[in-house]
Amino acid sequence: MTLDSDGQTIKRIRAQNFKGFKELDINLKRLNVLIGANAAGKTTFVEILRFVRDIATQGLDNAISLQGGVKYLRNLNIAAAADLRVSLTIGQPTTWRFFNHDHAHRDTYFQALAEEVEHTLTLRFKTRGLGYEVMEDRMDARVTWSQRSRGHSKQSILFAKHEEERPAAGAPALKSSAAGSLALKSINGKISCELDIPASLNLQSTDVIPPYLSEARIPKGTILAFSPAAYYLLPTLRKPPFAPLEIGIYDFDPKLPKRAAQITGKADLEEDGRNLALVLKEVRRDRHKWRKLNNLLLDLLPFVQDIDVESFADKSLLFKVKERYFKQDHYLPASSVSDGTINIAALILALYFEEKWPIVIEEPERNIHASLIAKVVELIKEAARNRQVIITTHNPEIVKHAGVEALVLLSRSSDGFCTATRATESAQVRNFLKNEIGIDELYVGNLLQA
């Protein structure tokens, strides 16, 4: 079996009993701008994604601990009275190819196409103490199964034997197709697969998942739904059946990149941007990337002529900026560079040079002059063409330039629960816009409510 996947986005987030949310069910787009008053739930919304990311990278126990433990993970008003559930629907066009080893059908192969995959984790809390147990851990995909002809050439027979990406003999011909499903789940670490294969196809479940995989187990504490480690315990699948989540979450502090960064640090941009110099050094290795970075900087900050990284004897790095205000070839050290320039550089790196998806950025407008906000929004919109972007903001200019289609409204009810909805789904917002009241005016007047 082989797999191809592309174009991953989070299409829907559902959560129950997660911090301030009693119930959350929201559809996401390529660009999502989270707005609302203080304590409305913007940070809590981001914490759902952070929790999922930490499960994938740190494991469940550590992910819960990083949220402050069970007590602060669940909603304090609901406590242990209800399960905690997090479900992400990933728009992930994915194709699996299977090969029936029956000699009578060696001229065909089978294909399963999924447009989206739902990842679900449910935790049940102990009524006493801070214990919990995993009640549900699964991934579900609605798929279209199809049977395709691949011909009888010697090369295509080898394709079946070695499961290479494509048959050599021409384009495959569709013979039949029907709807079904494919799901993976874990119960106490034991993996099982649920298949709904149409009877019209001559494909057995053992052609898809060999029988011995019924004994496969994943390490204790590993979550199948969000953890990539589980996939590689299924060796016959060759590649992960569902691509793991790699969520980038950023909350930049411009004071930190002004300090020297160790040359032995992470190559990925840190959440607070502290290793900005090291990331710039890696980008500089590729002249095409470096040219793109400088062009993006120049578009927003015309006074920036160049940006560079200096190495010191103690194996530390510090970036520096050349501004057009100086006639000589003089660079300012990071400690003398404005907070706004640092924020914009970090923002560009996160949006255009990090490999993670989606990209979540908290308050990207910090330290940036109001006259640049429109350009910053255009920068974000351009990046959102190629990857999903989620930002939080309190800035009415971002609200204005992002447009109503991108807005997600968050508010808090009188009983303390957070709610979220898209602005386009609010009858009140639609009515205001019909009366030609600007979306930024509604935001400043605190008239945008979920």
Side-chain angles (χ1 to χ4, degrees), residues 88-161:
L88 269 59
T89 301
I90 309 300
Q92 180 183 317
T94 304
T95 300
W96 299 276
R97 298 188 182 100
F98 307 95
F99 303 90
N100 187 313
H101 298 290
D102 183 347
H103 181 78
H105 297 91
R106 68 180 185 179
D107 63 331
T108 65
Y109 70 92
F110 299 87
Q111 181 171 291
L113 171 64
E115 293 296 334
E116 59 187 42
V117 179
E118 184 176 51
H119 303 241
T120 303
L121 172 67
T122 302
L123 303 179
R124 180 160 295 170
F125 303 110
K126 305 293 186 182
T127 54
R128 294 184 180 181
L130 299 176
Y132 68 91
E133 59 180 320
V134 177
M135 300 302 297
E136 185 180 29
D137 176 16
R138 62 183 294 140
M139 295 181 289
D140 295 88
R142 299 297 302 173
V143 301
T144 300
W145 299 90
S146 60
Q147 182 178 7
R148 296 173 180 266
S149 172
R150 58 182 173 84
H152 293 281
S153 73
K154 181 178 179 180
Q155 288 178 308
S156 65
I157 292 173
L158 290 174
F159 162 63
K161 181 178 179 181

Side-chain angles (χ1 to χ4, degrees), residues 168-285:
L174 177 64
K175 299 180 71 174
S176 62
S177 66
S181 64
L182 185 154
L184 290 177
K185 66 178 181 178
S186 169
I187 301 176
N188 296 323
K190 184 177 180 180
I191 297 176
S192 64
C193 185
E194 297 176 353
L195 301 173
D196 176 16
I197 303 175
S200 59
L201 298 180
N202 188 25
L203 183 67
Q204 304 300 316
S205 60
T206 52
D207 292 322
V208 180
I209 304 293
Y212 74 84
L213 286 182
S214 62
E215 302 300 321
R217 289 184 174 273
I218 56 177
K220 182 180 179 181
T222 300
I223 297 302
L224 178 71
F226 302 123
S227 296
Y231 304 135
Y232 301 103
L233 297 176
L234 307 178
T236 61
L237 298 182
R238 298 188 46 158
K239 294 182 181 180
F242 309 116
L245 300 170
E246 295 184 76
I247 302 172
I249 302 176
Y250 303 98
D251 187 2
F252 299 124
D253 181 349
K255 298 293 187 292
L256 298 179
K258 293 186 177 185
R259 306 169 187 168
Q262 291 300 310
I263 199 169
T264 56
K266 289 174 59 177
D268 294 337
L269 186 63
E270 294 276 10
E271 180 172 328
D272 54 16
R274 67 176 64 234
N275 66 333
L276 183 64
L278 182 56
V279 177
L280 286 171
K281 181 176 181 291
E282 290 301 313
V283 173
R284 191 169 178 77
R285 295 177 187 274

Side-chain angles (χ1 to χ4, degrees), residues 250-392:
Y250 303 98
D251 187 2
F252 299 124
D253 181 349
K255 298 293 187 292
L256 298 179
K258 293 186 177 185
R259 306 169 187 168
Q262 291 300 310
I263 199 169
T264 56
K266 289 174 59 177
D268 294 337
L269 186 63
E270 294 276 10
E271 180 172 328
D272 54 16
R274 67 176 64 234
N275 66 333
L276 183 64
L278 182 56
V279 177
L280 286 171
K281 181 176 181 291
E282 290 301 313
V283 173
R284 191 169 178 77
R285 295 177 187 274
D286 186 319
R287 63 186 181 89
H288 298 292
K289 288 183 178 180
W290 193 248
R291 185 184 301 115
K292 180 178 180 180
L293 172 65
N294 277 279
N295 286 340
L296 289 168
L297 271 172
L298 186 64
D299 185 51
L300 282 168
L301 304 172
F303 59 86
V304 174
Q305 289 189 325
D306 190 24
I307 188 169
D308 204 350
V309 180
E310 186 172 355
S311 301
F312 296 94
D314 63 351
K315 296 184 178 181
S316 64
L317 300 171
L318 195 66
F319 77 91
K320 54 187 181 179
V321 174
K322 180 181 178 183
E323 298 181 352
R324 64 176 175 83
Y325 303 116
F326 302 102
K327 294 182 180 179
Q328 297 179 351
D329 191 20
H330 181 74
Y331 284 80
L332 290 175
S335 58
S336 299
V337 175
S338 74
D339 289 358
T341 299
I342 291 175
N343 261 33
I344 287 175
L347 184 63
I348 290 171
L349 286 174
L351 290 171
Y352 288 89
F353 297 93
E354 289 293 290
E355 297 299 325
K356 298 179 176 65
W357 65 272
I359 296 295
V360 183
I361 302 175
E362 298 205 57
E363 300 184 30
E365 73 276 7
R366 287 181 191 152
N367 304 300
I368 297 176
H369 192 271
S371 64
L372 290 177
I373 295 299
K375 283 192 172 183
V376 168
V377 174
E378 287 305 311
L379 182 84
I380 294 171
K381 284 183 174 180
E382 179 67 26
R385 293 181 181 180
N386 299 313
R387 65 177 67 195
Q388 190 172 36
V389 180
I390 301 169
I391 67 172
T392 68

